[in-house]
Amino acid sequence: MTSLFRHENRQNSERSKRLYAVTELAYTCVDFAAAMAFLAGSILFFWKSLETTAIWFFVVGSVLFGVKPTIRFLRELKLAAMGDEEDLAKRE
């Protein structure tokens, strides 16, 4: 199996470049959404009546921050698997 988190895996083929670009876009969108959730939660804490809503924004932001490394890890697994497919084809 090709090593994980190697820059070379991203450049192996047009398919791997496309996967990398799509997952970077997803990662950035999740990052932005998490930041906005934390910002909204922080602002809502100014009003006591909105405290529960603010807490939920913090929970959502925390979940989104957990999604970020998941996206990267799944991408790296897929890129590594793509490398194995190409190695297998060369051996055949």
Side-chain angles (χ1 to χ4, degrees):
M1 177 185 238
T2 305
S3 298
L4 297 176
F5 301 101
R6 294 191 57 174
H7 182 72
E8 301 83 38
N9 293 345
R10 304 169 191 169
Q11 304 297 321
N12 283 339
S13 66
E14 287 305 312
R15 192 170 147 222
S16 65
K17 289 176 187 178
R18 195 170 33 257
L19 174 66
Y20 183 79
V22 167
T23 55
E24 279 299 298
L25 179 61
Y27 184 90
T28 301
C29 289
V30 169
D31 205 15
F32 181 75
M36 290 298 102
F38 274 96
L39 178 61
S42 297
I43 291 169
L44 292 175
F45 268 115
F46 285 116
W47 295 275
K48 185 72 171 162
S49 63
L50 296 174
E51 189 173 285
T52 299
T53 304
I55 291 168
W56 277 107
F57 271 100
F58 274 89
V59 170
V60 169
S62 296
V63 169
L64 290 171
F65 277 132
V67 170
K68 289 172 48 179
T70 304
I71 291 171
R72 285 211 166 142
F73 184 67
L74 292 174
R75 176 191 67 206
E76 293 302 320
L77 288 176
K78 181 65 178 169
L79 287 172
M82 285 179 176
D84 281 351
E85 291 168 1
E86 291 170 12
D87 290 343
L88 181 62
K90 287 177 186 173
R91 281 184 261 153
E92 294 299 321

